[in-house]
Amino acid sequence: MSHDTQSKLVYMANQIATFFKSQPESEAAEGVAMHINKFWEPRMRRQLFEIMERESHGLNPLVVQAAPLIKRPEAAATVSQ
């Protein structure tokens, strides 16, 4: 995954978190997860989890809080020959 792709995903996830910060605290993380589950394709969600594994990911704490509610896609299938 290129640094540019990573930066775009972090930016997008943080925008979603900024929007949901206006919601009641008890609903904000659920809203972030619901939006990402509904509108992000599995590849994007897989990359988001890869980003989260890094120590300095730049993600809004609300995105990190929402992580357990985000559907984790299965690992990419490998082609065996």
Side-chain angles (χ1 to χ4, degrees):
M1 169 176 33
S2 74
H3 179 70
D4 191 45
T5 301
Q6 174 184 337
S7 296
K8 286 179 184 177
L9 288 175
V10 168
Y11 178 78
M12 290 168 50
N14 287 344
Q15 280 187 311
I16 295 165
T18 298
F19 172 81
F20 282 101
K21 277 185 179 181
S22 64
Q23 302 295 317
E25 187 175 338
S26 62
E27 299 172 13
E30 186 176 324
V32 170
M34 184 174 54
H35 181 90
I36 290 173
N37 287 332
K38 186 173 183 179
F39 296 107
W40 285 29
E41 62 182 42
R43 179 179 51 92
M44 294 170 68
R45 287 184 277 122
R46 187 177 307 110
Q47 291 172 347
L48 178 64
F49 282 107
E50 290 172 7
I51 292 167
M52 283 188 209
E53 291 174 2
R54 296 188 183 98
E55 192 168 314
S56 58
H57 47 61
L59 289 165
N60 184 299
L62 188 54
V63 177
V64 177
Q65 184 182 348
L69 304 172
I70 297 172
K71 295 176 185 170
R72 185 181 289 263
E74 294 182 26
T78 56
V79 177
S80 59
Q81 295 181 347

